[in-house]
Amino acid sequence: MKSNSSPNDIPSKFLKIASCIVSEWLSKLFNKCMTTGEFPDSWKIPYITPIPKVHSPSSSSEYRPISVLSVLTKLFEKVLFQRVYSYLTKHNLIDKRQYGFRETHSTEPAITSIYDELLRIFDNKLITCSLFLDLSKAFDCCDHEILLDKIYRYGIRGVSHKQFSNSLHNRLQCTKIRAFKSSYKRISCGVPQGGVISPLLFLIYINDITKASSFHTTLFTDDTNSCSNVIQTTVNLELLNTG
């Protein structure tokens, strides 16, 4: 746990110093949330800090929103992450062509997969077509109901499914710049920016994208590469299917 905190939050440094005292209390609190499927509303309110992308920004699109969640939220999400990731890994539910946000995976095997497919097509003396796709604001585009349906289909049901439903619904956020804070706005879609478990939820959300593709597909989180020996009409159809 890094020694920083969101505004008006319990300092993480304090929790580290008092870990021998608060660990038992936190354990009981987290276990209670797990057995009831609850996700406290106070843990679902991030503060958004806009960071300029350019030297002199002139529009909102030239700022990068940095979301800061409370320390307790991150601690609890780490517990959720370990449970869900171990379950998905044990049952081989994450597509093997996904190389992002996974242990023992990185950009190197992803590039190797693309390179091997290009060599195979080249060796067969065929024309190669390769598509490189990058989703814009990927985490913000996740529909909550579609994500919850996919979580259910992967076997996360009952109390565990209720907990994810509670964590996604009724979320609020506000923008904070120095001492100034905006009014709270409700979040209607997307996985929580800055959340520990958000990347894993996004992997679940796009996990079946390879089933819609007839190409050799390699994924690295929201970056997608598709290789094949096809003509233009097939490429256009492929873009429609994966879109």
Side-chain angles (χ1 to χ4, degrees), residues 166-185:
N166 286 335
S167 71
L168 291 172
H169 291 143
N170 300 318
R171 298 192 73 92
L172 300 173
Q173 69 179 24
C174 74
T175 300
K176 191 174 188 300
I177 302 176
R178 299 187 183 92
F180 300 96
K181 188 170 64 174
S182 71
S183 59
Y184 290 94
K185 298 294 183 181

Side-chain angles (χ1 to χ4, degrees), residues 213-242:
S213 174
S214 59
F215 283 25
H216 177 276
T217 303
T218 303
L219 302 169
F220 194 88
T221 315
D222 61 330
D223 295 313
T224 306
N225 171 264
S226 297
C227 300
S228 185
N229 54 298
V230 295
I231 58 177
Q232 183 177 354
T233 54
T234 308
V235 174
N236 291 334
L237 181 61
E238 179 72 14
L239 286 172
L240 289 173
N241 289 337
T242 57

Side-chain angles (χ1 to χ4, degrees), residues 94-225:
I94 301 178
D95 195 296
K96 64 181 180 180
R97 289 165 286 187
Q98 174 61 261
Y99 294 90
F101 290 114
R102 299 181 62 189
E103 294 179 357
T104 70
H105 291 69
S106 66
T107 54
E108 289 186 11
I111 294 172
T112 301
S113 174
I114 298 171
Y115 181 70
D116 288 345
E117 179 62 14
L118 292 175
L119 284 181
R120 185 191 68 80
I121 297 174
F122 180 78
D123 289 342
N124 290 322
K125 302 185 185 320
L126 299 172
I127 297 175
T128 303
C129 175
S130 186
L131 301 175
F132 291 87
L133 308 176
D134 182 18
L135 299 179
S136 177
K137 298 181 179 179
F139 280 23
D140 296 332
C141 298
C142 296
D143 182 280
H144 289 168
E145 300 310 316
I146 294 176
L147 175 57
L148 289 171
D149 180 65
K150 291 193 174 185
I151 290 173
Y152 183 87
R153 290 176 181 270
Y154 283 119
I156 302 173
R157 302 171 182 175
V159 175
S160 296
H161 189 271
K162 175 186 174 183
Q163 190 154 64
F164 281 108
S165 179
N166 286 335
S167 71
L168 291 172
H169 291 143
N170 300 318
R171 298 192 73 92
L172 300 173
Q173 69 179 24
C174 74
T175 300
K176 191 174 188 300
I177 302 176
R178 299 187 183 92
F180 300 96
K181 188 170 64 174
S182 71
S183 59
Y184 290 94
K185 298 294 183 181
R186 191 169 300 279
I187 304 173
S188 58
C189 65
V191 292
Q193 293 286 349
V196 175
I197 201 171
S198 296
L200 184 58
L201 293 178
F202 182 77
L203 294 191
I204 294 174
Y205 191 78
I206 66 167
N207 194 52
D208 54 2
I209 192 173
T210 56
K211 296 179 181 179
S213 174
S214 59
F215 283 25
H216 177 276
T217 303
T218 303
L219 302 169
F220 194 88
T221 315
D222 61 330
D223 295 313
T224 306
N225 171 264

